């Protein structure tokens, strides 16, 4: 069921840049702390023996099966239908890589090849079939294989822990192969109580920045982790830990998660379809996503609200403000709020550089004052939710760099902050039965773990 493409796309979810993005957001999250309380955090993370699968160490990932043991209820749960990559591409037979280098700042491919004892002709041929070889990053490892006469046999570029590319010379031809390794997966449980911020409390519960970021993204449609958080809110989740050759290489996906915000419980279960596309759904199979992003830029401050009787800051007279203004630095990426088609991309009077997107259900969104458009943003092109369409600027009638954002339903302007956003499509019919069964199992596992931690604390 799982194709090579699927495997590769899953493996690519764990590149290094992921962590950089997460840390930027993490530093943002850390900057925002909600009302401090004197009570100490009750965050906790269970140890291996607490209802975790694969007690015997590394288990085969083919059949993720969970034994929730050692819990007060002795309830055990099997999970058989979670999708994981099943095949890994075998390493090219018989290549012995004998020299390994860690790329340092300022290293070029030519320098590294020279150190390995190869000529600039080898560099040329390798770079020709493998462009990425010319864009090595410090910290990455490359290795070489030699023929018996010490001539070039193969070059390996370890891109991430899971992905490497091998360029092999055979009969004067250079051939490239991508090798994707498949991590083994164990499941972890974590939970905590909000005391200061999601970032700090989740960190205390043992989660890394990527997982915290992913967690916030899952619930980001329902919960504003800046405005809505209250001390006493709780979170819990089951997530993957990935292993290669018995060593942990970091966390994988969150498979089930719960957040109780001001007494209201939100739960999400991950589902991967046959094309490898992952989404989170409520236990009833409704999408956690909405068909529209609430805001087209990340973490920007609202500088002016939707207001039909606003005094215009530049014109200095009463003029309806039919959108929301987000103050942000010039060049900040602007994302399309939903899937749709660009119906306008150009200069539009006081709006300056402006993009209008037509979505389904009679909805149009408008983005104004851009400094520039994304090259792909042209009239008639299709865009998908979250795609960058342009960059913040102050073109047209604007007092400073900001995004003016409008949301229109059948031509009527709505307040983008308050408008009820249509839901994204629920789980597809053909997956529904399996999904509901999966959801039940994962929720039972979550609940079991929550309970056993509680009992452990009381004891
Ligand atoms: Zn505005």
């Amino acid at each position: 069921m799982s194709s090579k493409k699927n495997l590769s796309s899953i493996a690519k979810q764990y590149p290094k840049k992921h962590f950089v993005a997460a840390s930027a957001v993490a530093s943002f999250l850390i900057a925002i702390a909600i009302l401090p309380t004197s009570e100490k955090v009750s965050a906790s993370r269970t140890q291996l023996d607490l209802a975790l699968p694969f007690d015997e160490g590394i288990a085969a990932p083919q059949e993720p099966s969970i034994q929730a043991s050692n819990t007060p209820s002795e309830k055990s749960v099997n999970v058989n239908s979670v999708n994981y990559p099943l095949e890994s591409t075998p390493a090219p037979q018989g290549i012995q890589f004998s020299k390994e280098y860690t790329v340092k700042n300022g290293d070029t491919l030519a320098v590294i090849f020279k150190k390995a004892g190869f000529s600039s002709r080898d560099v040329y041929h390798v770079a020709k079939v493998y462009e990425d070889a010319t864009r090595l990053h410090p910290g990455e490892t490359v290795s070489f294989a030699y023929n018996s006469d010490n001539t070039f046999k193969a070059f390996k570029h370890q891109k991430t822990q899971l992905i490497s590319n091998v360029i092999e010379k055979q009969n004067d031809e250079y051939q490239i192969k991508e090798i994707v390794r498949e991590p083994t997966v164990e499941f972890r449980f974590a939970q905590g109580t909000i005391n200061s911020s999601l970032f700090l409390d989740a960190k205390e519960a043992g989660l890394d920045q990527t997982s915290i970021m992913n967690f916030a993204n899952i619930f980001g449609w329902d919960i504003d982790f800046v405005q809505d958080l209250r001390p006493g809110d709780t979170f819990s989740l089951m997530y993957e830990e990935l292993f290669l050759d018995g060593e942990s290489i970091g966390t994988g996906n969150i498979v089930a998660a719960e957040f109780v915000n001001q007494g209201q419980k939100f739960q999400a279960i991950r589902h991967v379809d046959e094309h490898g596309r992952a989404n989170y759904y409520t236990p009833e199979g409704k999408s956690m996503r909405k068909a529209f992003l609430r805001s087209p830029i990340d973490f920007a401050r609202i500088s002016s609200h939707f207001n039909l009787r606003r005094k215009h800051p530049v014109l200095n007279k009463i003029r309806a403000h039919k959108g929301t203004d987000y103050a942000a630095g010039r060049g900040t990426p602007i994302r399309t709020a939903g899937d749709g088609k660009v119906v306008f991309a150009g200069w539009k009077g006081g709006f300056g550089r402006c993009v209008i997107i037509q979505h389904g259900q009679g909805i149009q969104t408008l983005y104004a004052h851009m400094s520039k458009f994304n090259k792909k943003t042209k009239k008639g092109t299709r865009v998908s939710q979250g795609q960058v369409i342009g960059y913040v600027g102050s073109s047209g009638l604007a007092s400073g760099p900001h995004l003016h954002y409008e949301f229109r339903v059948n031509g009527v302007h709505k307040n983008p902050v308050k408008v009820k956003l249509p839901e994204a499509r629920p789980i597809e019919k053909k997956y529904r039965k399996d999904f509901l069964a999966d959801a039940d199992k994962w929720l039972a596992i979550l609940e079991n773990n929550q309970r056993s931690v509680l009992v452990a604390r009381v004891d």
Side-chain angles (χ1 to χ4, degrees), residues 156-438:
K156 182 164 88 170
H157 175 209
Q158 194 75 41
K159 290 193 79 172
T160 66
Q161 280 168 303
L162 299 178
I163 301 169
S164 60
N165 285 296
V166 171
I167 293 87
E168 190 185 3
K169 186 183 178 188
Q170 268 180 331
N171 308 325
D172 276 338
E173 281 199 24
Y174 292 76
Q175 284 174 337
I176 179 165
K177 264 181 211 154
E178 184 180 66
I179 297 170
V180 180
R181 291 202 62 193
E182 171 202 346
T184 45
V185 177
E186 293 187 18
F187 296 97
R188 296 280 177 267
F189 172 73
Q191 74 173 357
T193 302
I194 294 297
N195 196 42
S196 53
S197 74
L198 177 67
F199 178 75
L200 291 174
D201 297 319
K203 202 172 161 218
E204 188 136 344
L207 292 179
D208 64 13
Q209 293 184 353
T210 310
S211 300
I212 297 171
M213 168 76 187
N214 292 342
F215 186 89
N217 281 340
I218 293 169
F219 294 104
W221 304 90
D222 296 299
I223 302 162
D224 180 336
F225 282 100
V226 178
Q227 309 284 342
D228 298 343
L229 237 55
R230 296 291 180 274
D233 285 355
T234 59
F235 57 91
S236 57
L237 61 155
M238 294 295 301
Y239 62 99
E240 300 168 340
E241 185 167 0
L242 308 177
F243 293 83
L244 263 190
D245 307 322
E247 265 181 59
S248 173
I249 58 162
T251 52
N253 301 297
I254 293 171
V255 287
E258 180 186 289
F259 195 87
V260 181
N261 177 231
Q262 305 183 41
Q264 196 182 351
K265 189 189 274 187
F266 298 89
Q267 291 174 320
I269 315 292
R270 184 171 193 264
H271 179 262
V272 184
D273 72 12
E274 60 197 327
H275 308 292
R277 285 181 300 232
N279 260 310
Y280 288 90
Y281 297 92
T282 67
E284 298 78 36
K286 280 167 60 174
S287 178
M288 293 301 288
R289 294 196 312 123
K290 299 282 187 282
F292 288 86
L293 301 173
R294 180 61 78 186
S295 141
I297 30 183
D298 295 333
F299 307 119
R301 177 177 61 87
I302 293 178
S303 53
S304 179
H305 277 280
F306 183 88
N307 178 359
L308 297 177
R309 289 197 52 79
R310 179 182 76 150
K311 199 173 196 187
H312 194 279
V314 176
L315 300 174
N316 212 17
K317 52 185 173 191
I318 300 290
R319 189 191 256 195
H321 187 237
K322 294 178 169 179
T324 301
D325 288 350
Y326 293 92
R330 189 187 160 84
T332 304
I334 299 165
R335 300 174 188 287
T336 168
D339 296 353
K341 197 167 109 183
V342 178
V343 290
F344 182 88
W347 192 276
K348 201 177 186 60
F351 282 151
R353 268 179 217 96
C354 174
V355 172
I356 302 175
I357 292 168
Q358 179 72 53
H359 309 278
Q361 308 175 49
I363 296 171
Q364 276 194 342
T365 52
L366 175 148
Y367 313 76
H369 308 308
M370 291 182 180
S371 57
K372 60 174 187 173
F373 302 121
N374 183 305
K375 269 181 267 159
K376 289 180 190 155
T377 312
K378 295 211 173 81
K379 192 178 167 182
T381 52
R382 299 222 150 259
V383 287
S384 47
Q385 184 179 66
Q387 192 177 323
V388 174
I389 50 171
Y391 302 89
V392 170
S394 50
S395 59
L397 213 53
S399 48
H402 74 280
L403 166 70
H404 171 89
Y405 174 56
E406 291 186 4
F407 194 99
R408 304 174 186 165
V409 183
N410 298 321
V412 181
H413 289 83
K414 303 281 181 182
N415 182 347
V417 174
K418 301 243 169 88
V419 67
K420 191 171 184 303
L421 298 174
E423 274 162 8
R425 262 179 245 131
I427 187 101
E428 274 183 72
K429 249 199 189 128
K430 60 178 168 183
Y431 302 126
R432 191 176 162 79
K433 209 176 135 217
D434 284 349
F435 170 80
L436 292 178
D438 263 4

